[in-house]
Amino acid sequence: MEGNNTSTLSDSEYRGGALDVERMHAECPVFRILIIGKANAGKTTILRKVCNVSKKTKPVVYDAHGNKRGKHDIEHEITYPGSRFIFHDSGGFEAGHSEELEKVRSFTQKKALEPAIKDQLHLIWYCLPLDDQRPLSSAELAFFDVDTGNVPVVAVFTKFDALEKKTFTELHQQGLTRTEAQTRYSQHAQKYFEDTLLPLVMKAKAPPRTFIYMDQATSKCPELTSKSADALKDKAGLQHLFVITQKNNLVLRWLYAF
């Protein structure tokens, strides 16, 4: 992995400046993302699609010393062949277990103190699956009381199709015919999400910069990269770096003319 030499460019200059692609890659050759979410939240699928690799492509995991590892740890660096993204993976937060949340808090604070921009954390994706009977537990929502400093957070609500299926079943059980439920379930699921679930996150002490919802097939990954670029709009250098690093949204690269 990358060495420990510090950047010759100041943090404020890099984050706010307009640099050419060559110098940007020289100063910060990678874009670093922390992805959070419990097992089966869709994290692996998202990473593969963002890196534009197939299901058969295995991630490469390195520890802090640059040694390859098989199991993930929040400190370990995850990447895919040919990608300039580096991911850090954190499990979800369970009720009564504060260890994982404390790990994330400690990790983000430590990364904020890194002198080299390439070693800092640039973005956080928090995956919140909607296929549970009671989505968005208090343990999961506790993350949005954590100050992540200058690192933008994107809330990624995954498996929206599971919420739609649940809504269809509820409408049918309430007496609607299958045809009636079929025509109404999508609108009802959308309303429940916007009126009940989304405010729990967006009105928290430390809300995400933006959000996206997607189905189990993560068909909206190009939208995720667009939302992520928008979340970085006050960090011109990092926004530029993110756009040229991602490969699954060519329209985004065209829009930013990179």
Side-chain angles (χ1 to χ4, degrees):
M1 299 304 291
E2 302 300 325
N4 293 321
N5 294 331
T6 60
S7 170
T8 59
L9 196 63
S10 71
D11 181 75
S12 59
E13 182 185 0
Y14 182 83
R15 289 178 182 272
L19 305 176
D20 60 65
V21 175
E22 291 77 11
R23 189 181 178 196
M24 183 167 298
H25 277 311
E27 297 292 342
C28 188
V30 297
F31 192 93
R32 192 177 298 272
I33 299 175
L34 169 62
I35 186 166
I36 304 172
K38 56 191 175 183
N40 300 316
K43 293 185 292 183
T44 300
T45 304
I46 288 173
L47 299 191
R48 285 173 177 159
K49 285 184 173 287
V50 169
C51 293
N52 199 29
V53 298
S54 69
K55 290 183 178 181
K56 296 181 179 179
T57 305
K58 300 292 184 182
V60 182
V61 184
Y62 294 90
D63 64 18
H65 304 289
N67 301 311
K68 287 188 178 181
R69 290 288 181 258
K71 293 187 177 180
H72 296 176
D73 177 292
I74 194 171
E75 296 285 348
H76 291 176
E77 299 182 345
I78 306 167
T79 189
Y80 284 88
S83 175
R84 290 181 179 269
F85 278 118
I86 289 180
F87 302 103
H88 294 269
D89 184 9
S90 168
F93 310 125
E94 303 293 340
H97 299 276
S98 60
E99 297 87 352
E100 195 66 32
L101 181 59
E102 190 54 42
K103 281 183 183 178
V104 170
R105 192 196 312 270
S106 176
F107 179 76
T108 56
Q109 290 174 346
K110 185 183 76 170
K111 283 296 181 185
L113 298 175
E114 291 283 359
I117 295 171
K118 65 182 179 62
D119 297 321
Q120 295 172 7
L121 189 62
H122 304 137
L123 187 66
I124 297 174
W125 289 337
Y126 188 7
C127 297
L128 296 159
L130 298 176
D131 59 342
D132 286 349
Q133 281 298 109
R134 298 183 64 183
L136 306 189
S137 67
S138 58
E140 290 175 313
L141 292 173
F143 171 78
F144 297 104
D145 291 333
V146 176
D147 182 7
T148 59
N150 290 323
V151 184
V153 177
V154 179
V156 186
F157 296 92
T158 61
K159 303 187 179 181
F160 191 82
D161 50 336
L163 180 62
E164 291 181 321
K165 290 177 183 177
K166 178 184 175 184
T167 303
F168 172 83
T169 300
E170 290 174 347
L171 290 173
H172 188 41
Q173 290 175 343
Q174 290 170 8
L176 272 67
T177 66
R178 295 187 64 86
T179 300
E180 290 172 332
Q182 187 73 31
T183 60
R184 299 185 189 182
Y185 78 88
S186 182
Q187 182 180 1
H188 278 251
Q190 180 76 30
K191 181 173 175 55
Y192 174 69
F193 172 76
E194 293 179 350
D195 293 351
T196 304
L197 298 181
L198 188 59
L200 295 175
V201 171
M202 301 306 293
K203 294 183 179 181
K205 291 181 182 178
R209 185 71 58 88
T210 187
F211 72 93
I212 179 178
Y213 62 89
M214 56 177 61
D215 62 24
Q216 193 163 358
T218 61
S219 59
K220 291 187 177 181
C221 270
E223 186 176 342
L224 171 59
T225 51
S226 294
K227 291 269 191 173
S228 298
D230 186 60
L232 293 160
K233 62 185 177 183
D234 59 339
K235 298 174 172 59
L238 288 179
Q239 184 185 61
H240 188 152
L241 179 64
F242 175 81
V243 171
I244 61 178
T245 300
Q246 63 83 35
K247 295 182 178 180
N248 81 319
N249 190 343
L250 296 180
V251 173
L252 183 64
R253 293 176 69 107
W254 179 80
L255 287 174
Y256 283 83
F258 297 147

